[in-house]
Amino acid sequence: MDEDDRARLTEFVTSRTPALMRVAYLLTGDRHAAEDLFQSALARTIPRWRALRHADPEGYLRTVMYREQVSWWRRLGRRRERALTGADEAVQPDPSGGTDVRLAMRAALRLLPPAQRTVLVLRYYEDLTETQVAEALGCTVGTVRSRTHRAVARLRQLLPDVELLEVRR
């Protein structure tokens, strides 16, 4: 890698890390796992950096992150995540109005299986279409639809008082 490529890579990583780390956190539900996911995806992207010169490096890195996350939860098999106790994740009312909803949503997202959480992040945070999500995860559109449906139903069950769960079609 020449100096120009190194400078471009350094600039890209410096400017885009906060946004990419937010996506990684939403995919994993854990700060340390998000750091691992981001670093793993970056390690897979750097050797291809020269080929990405005229392409969209952020899109490529995001796709690597999505697929890496899928590989991680496929390797985990049937291992279930443990729900946090109420003391670990207490949701207190916040006068600003939105913080309590965000905290409750974060806690509820952590209770979803990784596959469902990933689909929700890609559909509603990344604003990808069902087809784009299916392509990114290497599954069918029907799988994306069923996971989305189950995830939203579970969130509605966990957060019955939150009116923000109106899903756009």
Side-chain angles (χ1 to χ4, degrees):
M1 187 179 306
D2 63 18
E3 289 300 316
D4 185 43
D5 285 336
R6 275 197 190 109
R8 214 172 123 245
L9 175 64
T10 302
E11 178 185 337
F12 170 76
V13 170
T14 302
S15 65
R16 297 308 303 154
T17 293
L20 292 167
M21 280 299 298
R22 280 191 297 274
V23 172
Y25 178 80
L26 289 169
L27 290 170
T28 61
D30 178 73
R31 181 176 156 238
H32 299 292
E35 291 170 354
D36 291 345
L37 177 63
F38 177 68
Q39 288 176 1
S40 177
L42 193 58
R44 290 179 179 264
T45 302
I46 289 173
R48 301 205 25 95
W49 188 252
R50 288 189 69 102
L52 300 174
R53 180 176 299 183
H54 301 291
D56 176 22
E58 184 170 349
Y60 182 86
L61 183 60
R62 284 175 183 255
T63 300
V64 171
M65 281 179 20
Y66 306 148
R67 292 187 177 171
E68 189 73 15
Q69 176 65 11
V70 168
S71 295
W72 286 1
W73 52 257
R74 281 185 179 158
R75 278 192 298 256
L76 292 176
R78 297 198 174 264
R79 192 193 108 203
R80 299 285 181 197
E81 293 181 353
R82 291 180 292 146
L84 297 174
T85 65
D88 293 335
E89 199 63 33
V91 178
Q92 300 294 324
D94 187 353
S96 69
T99 303
D100 55 343
V101 172
R102 285 191 302 274
L103 290 173
M105 183 64 75
R106 186 178 92 183
L109 283 171
R110 286 180 155 178
L111 297 175
L112 294 178
Q116 289 179 6
R117 185 172 57 238
T118 300
V119 168
L120 288 182
V121 168
L122 296 178
R123 281 287 289 135
Y124 302 109
Y125 182 78
E126 291 290 314
D127 201 27
L128 299 180
T129 65
E130 290 172 338
T131 305
Q132 291 170 321
V133 173
E135 184 179 300
L137 298 179
C139 63
T140 66
V141 172
T143 301
V144 171
R145 287 179 182 159
S146 65
R147 285 182 183 159
T148 302
H149 175 76
R150 287 185 193 114
V152 170
R154 180 68 176 140
L155 286 177
R156 285 186 178 136
Q157 184 182 41
L158 293 168
L159 303 169
D161 298 333
V162 176
E163 295 177 10
L164 300 174
L165 295 178
E166 289 302 315
V167 177
R168 59 182 184 220
R169 298 254 178 213

